[in-house]
Amino acid sequence: MIAALIILAAMVATGVLLWLLDRRHPQDAGEEEREETQQEECCGMHITCEKDSLLTAMAKEIEYYDDEELDAYRGTAADSYTADAIEQFRDVLLTLRPEEIAPWARSIQLRGIELPSPVRDELLMIVAEARRTKHDTNGVLS
């Protein structure tokens, strides 16, 4: 019985010590530093990054990636593409360098082209994989 009380007292003391240390160094401070670093050094692989975000089209100038033929699909709905058209988009996507993928997606948006659903899904998987790879190599949570 005495051994159980000693173990319980040690656990309570450890818990109090950890609680006090946590109050001295809140996790929020680390989060703010990480966000400031990400804003200063935008890598283009974060959804919240204004520089290369896939969700916001911040650039005003349209950049082409040897894909002028895709302009013919302006105004086409994502689920209305033929198999050949989907392959055209897929061919362009798969020939891009990793650092060109986010700007290409932004260029497509600025040009008023809606990506075919299967290609959009592939694009999102590629970006997610690139984020995961970057996270694994940097050891920083994104």
Side-chain angles (χ1 to χ4, degrees), residues 10-11 15 33 35 37-38 46 67 69 73-74 77 85 89 101 104 109 113 117 129:
M11 288 176 52
E33 288 176 16
E35 286 177 13
T37 302
Q38 286 178 357
H46 298 92
D67 63 347
E69 70 277 4
Y73 298 107
R74 186 175 290 132
F89 280 92
I101 292 175
W104 177 73
Q109 287 177 335
I113 302 169
S117 297
E129 180 61 31

Side-chain angles (χ1 to χ4, degrees), residues 77-79 81-82 85-86 89-90 113-121:
D79 56 353
Y81 287 99
T82 65
I86 293 171
F89 280 92
R90 186 173 286 126
I113 302 169
E114 196 171 333
L115 286 173
S117 297
V119 176
R120 184 186 63 230
D121 295 343

Side-chain angles (χ1 to χ4, degrees), residues 7-23:
I7 292 172
L8 179 63
M11 288 176 52
V12 169
T14 303
V16 169
L17 179 65
L18 290 174
W19 179 74
L20 287 172
L21 289 174
D22 186 56
R23 288 184 50 96

Side-chain angles (χ1 to χ4, degrees), residues 1-63:
M1 179 72 174
I2 294 176
L5 289 175
I6 292 173
I7 292 172
L8 179 63
M11 288 176 52
V12 169
T14 303
V16 169
L17 179 65
L18 290 174
W19 179 74
L20 287 172
L21 289 174
D22 186 56
R23 288 184 50 96
R24 285 185 74 196
H25 304 287
Q27 296 295 332
D28 295 336
E31 294 278 334
E32 290 173 8
E33 288 176 16
R34 211 176 1 243
E35 286 177 13
E36 288 174 11
T37 302
Q38 286 178 357
Q39 288 175 355
E40 292 171 4
E41 301 173 11
C42 185
C43 65
M45 301 311 295
H46 298 92
I47 292 295
T48 58
C49 179
E50 291 182 15
K51 180 179 175 188
D52 287 321
S53 175
L54 296 176
L55 299 178
T56 60
M58 299 301 288
K60 300 292 182 206
E61 186 176 322
I62 294 174
E63 187 173 347

Side-chain angles (χ1 to χ4, degrees), residues 63-119:
E63 187 173 347
Y64 284 89
Y65 294 84
D66 253 352
D67 63 347
E68 292 82 4
E69 70 277 4
L70 299 180
D71 284 342
Y73 298 107
R74 186 175 290 132
T76 304
D79 56 353
S80 300
Y81 287 99
T82 65
D84 289 338
I86 293 171
E87 277 308 308
Q88 270 188 297
F89 280 92
R90 186 173 286 126
D91 287 344
V92 172
L93 174 62
L94 297 178
T95 58
L96 294 170
R97 294 187 314 248
E99 65 271 10
E100 293 177 330
I101 292 175
W104 177 73
R106 216 175 34 256
S107 169
I108 290 292
Q109 287 177 335
L110 288 172
R111 290 156 54 190
I113 302 169
E114 196 171 333
L115 286 173
S117 297
V119 176

